[in-house]
Amino acid sequence: MAVASLRRSVLSLNRTLRGSWCQAPDLRPVCVSACQRTPERSSVHARNTFKVTMVPGDGVGPELMRAVREVFKAADVPVEFEEIHISEVHNMASEEKLDQLFTSVRNNGVAIKGKINNPMAYKGDLASYEMKLRRKLDLFANVVHVTSLPGYSTRHNSLDLVIIREQTEGEYSSLEHESVKGVIESLKIITREKSHRIAKFAFDYATKKGRSKVTAVHKANIMKLGDGLFLQSCAEVAKLYPKIKFENIIIDNCCMQLVRNPYQFDVLVMPNLYGNIIDNLAAGLVGGAGVVPGESYSDEYAVFETGARHPFAQAVGRNIANPTAMLLSAANMLRHLNLDYHSNMVSEAVKRVIKQGKVRTKDLGGYCTTEDFVRAVVNNLGHQSVY
Amino acid sequence: FLINRTCVFQPPPAKYGGQHTVTLIPGDGIGPELLNHVREVFRFSCVPVDFEVVNVNSSRADEDDINNAITAIRRNGVALKGNIETNHTMPPSFKSRNNLMRTSLDLYANMMHCQSLPGVQTRHKNIDIIIIRENTEGEYSSLEHESVSGVVESLKIITRLNSLRIADYAFRLAREKGRRRVTAVHKANIMKLGDGLFLQCCREVASGYPDITFDSMIVDNTTMQLVCKPQQFDVMVMPNLYGNVVSNVCAGLVGGPGLVPGANYGRDYAMFETATRNTGKSIANKNIANPTAMLLASCLLLDHLKLHEYATTIRNAILTTMNETRLHTPDIGGQGTTSEVVQSIMNIIQKTGPRTVAYY
């Protein structure tokens, strides 16, 4: 048949161009191989585009989202964004917008977001929009994979650790009251069910990614019942994973060890507030808030964002924000959507630009703007290295 | 059995970001290649299932591998497996790995739905039987001893609790699927106490389901009726060994071991495999095994995970492919290869399904 002969000729061409990179032809459908020079033409056919909710948020969020859009357009990624603009500080606080956001994420299943800033002053609602979002969608697990970027050396090189943080309870329960005038009580809630859930998530993540150790971070010497319950739940779940080592460490010791010898840690699991601190600490070890991607999972949904969540309001309009974190997070999102090829293309391009070291934004010690960086990433797309 | 006792709590299901995690045990013989095809079809159709592969080496005498597999299933709650070979020459202390999994996880009900598939030539048409087989006791209790030299006693255990449980499962399933009749298969004329207890438990449960007719049939008559007039049966429930025999007979009636999927359900866990549990050593790695049974088992898995649209898409693709006689594998009389069948299924999914991603 003509189709079969076309397939054979295309694949033989493919094989000569790329070496023995292509696998046995009988299991693959007919395709057009990617030309090495033009990154726009992809050798993937996805029948429909994937719909993803996009929430630019506040601060430099919109600029970072623009960067993501540009890179996706250049890489011809079959993803369509549904933008929802929501903000708590810019007089755009409205319940309908929030509901619209929930419905959108529920329909699409996947979202990419910037930071929605919360006002410092108490305006009548103890829970910020982000907390409401996390609770409503039950995004209980936040995963930040901290890896050193090749080509950018910091005080600690070749770092590779994963921080898993319980995101819906703990100190962020938004339960505060003034029982007696001048005396405020803030409730920290720890439940057995949620501790089991986050511990199981951590161990399942470790199993899936081939990690060997999970360390629970706590302060059970002081909060004997609260963090004690968390620790006990983690130990119970650990019994189901005989191949993965389980340890625990107190938060103060953990922070000190992270700055002296971070290589001893593999996967860390912890309640909400400690997670916030350790996320930012670890991000600082490898280059700052601009380089670490993060994602949040619930049973049904996945939301991709930066690891250390800062709106970075002082950089708005100055074109200096580092889009690396958001681009790497977008690449993770593509992997979650089963678009491995595009995911690798985007993340390889970003890593190559950083490795080459010519185009770097201000936070990594360079002089280039966000747009320069994005242009460099777009130019580096499609240059697949043959192993 | 140590693992069975130390697990104190039921973990939450392994579903994160919409992706389920399912334990995959390749097994021996044709298991690994068929399960690779299942993985490929799932990846192609963007099914939100991640497989955790746990290998069980059937030639090892220690139980570490199988305990790992059992723990993995306890974690994830669901498994898809190929058959693990049991070496007959090993000493009796070496238990069958498959049996060990079923008893440790208490997967008490084995369900097999035998349906005549369109496009497959068989001597009997319009067969639609559900066979429910007690999976943990009966003749498979692995309790044997040589009391006197040259005399071996094999114990068949029937308990009231397990019989009530399996009968209840059978009637509930019959009601759910809108079936009219449940037939209990037994040999109570000979094993008066053992199968008599089983029959009595079935009768007790039947009294709670007045809308479903209950009758019983002795196993020898059953097998004869199955080969003369299989259309008379609707749902059948039976202890372990008769279940093995009757399910293989029915699989033969509808076209062979390559066509029928099976499911093992317990209270907390579920395990999916082919119905007749063949290792298929003689046809391993020759690209001639029939992938239908394993793919239909994976559709049952998707139904269990409540991913019904994906299950229907893949099932329809399989049934459409069945109609093409030139794509039949040798076991149903054709000349096609496994890869051709799988490729055809993927093509149909691409035409009719929601979303697919293919590479290179």
Side-chain angles (χ1 to χ4, degrees):
Chain A
M1 262 203 343
V3 167
S5 64
L6 170 66
R7 177 164 57 169
R8 269 196 292 277
S9 60
V10 161
L11 283 163
S12 62
L13 173 67
N14 201 12
R15 221 173 270 128
T16 49
L17 279 177
R18 312 289 202 91
S20 56
W21 184 48
C22 207
Q23 286 190 7
D26 52 341
L27 292 175
R28 304 279 179 256
V30 178
C31 67
V32 178
S33 65
C35 185
Q36 260 182 325
R37 268 167 209 87
T38 48
E40 288 85 19
R41 213 175 317 141
S42 72
S43 62
V44 178
H45 34 188
R47 258 197 71 218
N48 289 323
T49 47
F50 292 81
K51 225 163 162 243
V52 167
T53 308
M54 177 187 263
V55 184
D58 295 312
V60 293
E63 295 177 21
L64 300 179
M65 292 302 170
R66 206 166 33 236
V68 168
R69 268 187 196 279
E70 252 184 71
V71 172
F72 274 25
K73 196 162 130 208
D76 210 13
V77 176
V79 165
E80 189 191 310
F81 288 113
E82 183 184 336
E83 267 195 46
I84 307 233
H85 293 267
I86 187 170
S87 166
E88 214 175 346
V89 293
H90 290 139
N91 296 327
M92 278 168 66
S94 71
E95 287 298 319
E96 308 105 53
K97 276 260 173 208
L98 206 54
D99 286 329
Q100 201 186 13
L101 177 55
F102 294 149
T103 330
S104 170
V105 179
R106 278 211 190 93
N107 290 340
N108 297 336
V110 181
I112 184 166
K113 70 184 266 293
K115 163 99 181 142
I116 305 171
N117 207 0
N118 17 324
M120 288 290 181
Y122 175 42
K123 286 207 179 115
D125 202 350
L126 283 170
S128 64
Y129 275 12
E130 286 223 332
M131 270 317 291
K132 280 193 191 139
L133 181 71
R134 276 176 224 151
R135 280 202 208 116
K136 199 82 185 276
L137 298 172
D138 201 21
L139 296 166
F140 66 92
N142 183 29
V143 180
V144 174
H145 186 185
V146 178
T147 43
S148 296
L149 292 168
Y152 179 62
S153 57
T154 54
R155 288 186 184 84
H156 308 272
N157 289 318
S158 313
L159 199 55
D160 189 1
L161 57 107
V162 179
I163 299 163
I164 296 176
R165 161 190 176 187
E166 209 290 332
Q167 241 187 167
T168 50
E169 57 169 18
E171 299 81 350
Y172 289 40
S173 306
S174 314
L175 293 168
E176 298 182 284
H177 70 138
E178 192 169 0
S179 47
V180 170
K181 190 159 176 354
V183 176
I184 307 279
E185 280 178 358
S186 235
L187 293 172
K188 161 176 170 167
I189 311 287
I190 299 270
T191 54
R192 189 188 300 276
E193 189 192 319
K194 291 198 178 172
S195 307
H196 272 155
R197 195 165 61 157
I198 193 64
K200 182 147 196 294
F201 179 89
F203 279 97
D204 276 342
Y205 187 90
T207 312
K208 192 161 144 185
K209 306 277 176 182
R211 299 271 174 169
S212 49
K213 195 166 78 164
V214 171
T215 310
V217 179
H218 63 96
K219 192 114 179 106
N221 50 345
I222 303 298
M223 281 170 271
K224 294 191 168 78
L225 292 185
D227 283 353
L229 178 60
F230 180 80
L231 203 54
Q232 191 191 16
S233 309
C234 290
E236 274 174 25
V237 174
K239 287 204 195 103
L240 283 173
Y241 298 82
K243 290 206 170 137
I244 298 178
K245 213 164 146 220
F246 174 64
E247 286 178 356
N248 65 73
I249 189 170
I250 298 184
I251 174 80
D252 45 17
N253 191 16
C254 181
C255 291
M256 185 175 69
Q257 296 296 331
L258 272 172
V259 295
R260 294 190 65 205
N261 180 16
Y263 304 100
Q264 59 181 291
F265 297 113
D266 195 359
V267 176
L268 295 159
V269 63
M270 58 200 86
N272 217 330
L273 184 64
Y274 311 149
N276 188 5
I277 297 170
I278 305 265
D279 273 348
N280 282 275
L281 203 162
L285 293 176
V286 293
V291 297
V292 181
E295 50 237 31
S296 302
Y297 291 104
S298 80
D299 280 352
E300 315 277 344
Y301 316 113
V303 175
F304 294 86
E305 50 192 340
T306 57
R309 304 168 185 153
H310 302 282
F312 201 16
Q314 52 272 49
V316 177
R318 285 165 62 191
N319 208 359
I320 53 169
N322 191 345
T324 306
M326 199 53 93
L327 288 169
L328 288 176
S329 192
N332 288 343
M333 178 183 78
L334 292 175
R335 185 162 300 118
H336 179 82
L337 289 171
N338 201 22
L339 293 168
D340 281 338
Y341 173 76
H342 292 110
S343 167
N344 287 336
M345 194 155 72
V346 172
S347 61
E348 289 296 314
V350 173
K351 286 185 182 146
R352 197 172 286 116
V353 171
I354 296 194
K355 191 165 182 175
Q356 285 168 358
K358 288 183 230 158
V359 183
R360 286 220 179 130
T361 45
K362 199 162 162 214
D363 60 326
L364 297 184
Y367 301 96
C368 296
T369 61
T370 316
E371 280 173 16
D372 289 338
F373 190 89
V374 173
R375 211 172 303 128
V377 170
V378 166
N379 287 340
N380 272 288
L381 282 172
H383 286 250
Q384 293 274 353
S385 42
V386 180
Y387 288 106
Chain B
F1 285 92
L2 191 65
I3 308 287
N4 199 11
R5 307 287 169 248
T6 53
C7 183
V8 287
F9 80 106
Q10 188 52 35
K15 181 180 179 191
Y16 311 116
Q19 296 272 114
H20 292 90
T21 311
V22 170
T23 309
L24 187 83
I25 300 166
D28 299 312
I30 52 175
E33 61 183 273
L34 292 183
L35 289 170
N36 275 338
H37 286 306
V38 169
R39 267 198 284 190
E40 206 172 304
V41 172
F42 274 24
R43 225 182 111 278
F44 180 79
S45 326
C46 297
V47 175
V49 168
D50 286 325
F51 285 111
E52 183 192 339
V53 181
V54 183
N55 284 311
V56 175
N57 190 347
S58 52
S59 49
R60 283 179 57 172
D62 60 348
E63 296 195 348
D64 287 339
D65 271 349
I66 193 69
N67 283 338
N68 271 341
I70 293 173
T71 316
I73 302 178
R74 273 188 216 278
R75 298 196 290 253
N76 297 327
V78 193
L80 183 64
K81 79 182 257 289
N83 201 36
I84 305 167
E85 195 191 338
T86 310
N87 196 345
H88 301 297
T89 57
M90 297 283 245
S93 56
F94 180 84
K95 299 193 173 66
S96 152
R97 297 302 181 234
N98 304 308
N99 202 13
L100 203 56
M101 282 173 79
R102 290 191 291 264
T103 47
S104 309
L105 297 167
D106 201 22
L107 298 167
Y108 63 90
N110 181 19
M111 193 212 41
M112 175 176 148
H113 188 183
C114 277
Q115 266 179 313
S116 296
L117 290 178
V120 178
Q121 282 283 65
T122 50
R123 288 185 183 83
H124 302 272
K125 314 247 179 293
N126 300 328
I127 298 179
D128 192 358
I129 309 177
I130 296 182
I131 298 171
I132 294 160
R133 160 189 175 186
E134 210 290 330
N135 222 357
T136 50
E137 58 169 20
E139 299 82 350
Y140 287 42
S141 308
S142 309
L143 293 168
E144 298 183 294
H145 70 137
E146 195 170 356
S147 46
V148 170
S149 174
V151 176
V152 174
E153 281 177 359
S154 237
L155 294 172
K156 162 177 166 165
I157 312 288
I158 300 270
T159 55
R160 187 174 166 73
L161 200 63
N162 286 344
S163 307
L164 282 174
R165 201 165 58 159
I166 193 70
D168 189 57
Y169 180 85
F171 278 92
R172 260 186 300 125
L173 191 76
R175 183 171 271 176
E176 247 172 71
K177 304 232 177 205
R179 297 281 181 154
R180 298 262 75 95
R181 232 176 95 206
V182 173
T183 311
V185 177
H186 64 95
K187 193 113 179 105
N189 51 343
I190 303 298
M191 281 171 271
K192 293 190 170 73
L193 290 184
D195 284 352
L197 175 62
F198 180 81
L199 205 52
Q200 188 192 355
C201 294
C202 289
R203 281 210 186 93
E204 274 176 34
V205 174
S207 58
Y209 293 81
D211 50 327
I212 300 177
T213 331
F214 171 71
D215 57 359
S216 63
M217 201 183 269
I218 299 184
V219 61
D220 45 17
N221 191 17
T222 310
T223 38
M224 186 174 71
Q225 296 294 330
L226 273 173
V227 296
C228 296
K229 205 159 67 90
Q231 293 82 6
Q232 62 179 296
F233 294 107
D234 197 358
V235 177
M236 299 163 79
V237 63
M238 58 202 86
N240 215 331
L241 184 65
Y242 312 147
N244 189 6
V245 167
V246 167
S247 56
N248 277 276
V249 169
C250 288
L253 292 176
V254 298
L259 294 178
V260 194
N264 303 291
Y265 294 106
R267 195 193 59 178
D268 303 317
Y269 313 110
M271 197 159 75
F272 300 90
E273 53 180 351
T274 58
T276 44
R277 303 173 182 162
N278 303 89
T279 323
K281 263 193 316 182
S282 53
I283 53 170
N285 297 323
K286 288 191 186 150
N287 207 10
I288 50 173
N290 195 340
T292 310
M294 199 56 93
L295 284 168
L296 285 174
S298 66
C299 291
L300 288 176
L301 167 74
L302 292 173
D303 273 326
H304 180 82
L305 293 173
K306 311 241 188 320
L307 295 168
H308 298 294
E309 328 81 54
Y310 293 105
T312 334
T313 316
I314 300 179
R315 204 174 275 131
N316 286 340
I318 298 171
L319 295 177
T320 317
T321 311
M322 271 289 123
N323 281 325
E324 296 262 349
T325 41
R326 66 183 177 79
L327 280 177
H328 284 185
T329 43
D331 63 312
I332 37 179
Q335 307 221 338
T337 63
T338 319
S339 355
E340 276 171 29
V341 177
V342 174
Q343 190 57 52
S344 157
I345 292 172
M346 295 207 292
N347 287 343
I348 298 174
I349 295 175
Q350 186 166 47
K351 279 192 215 120
T352 60
R355 218 159 39 192
T356 56
V357 178
Y359 291 100
Y360 316 119

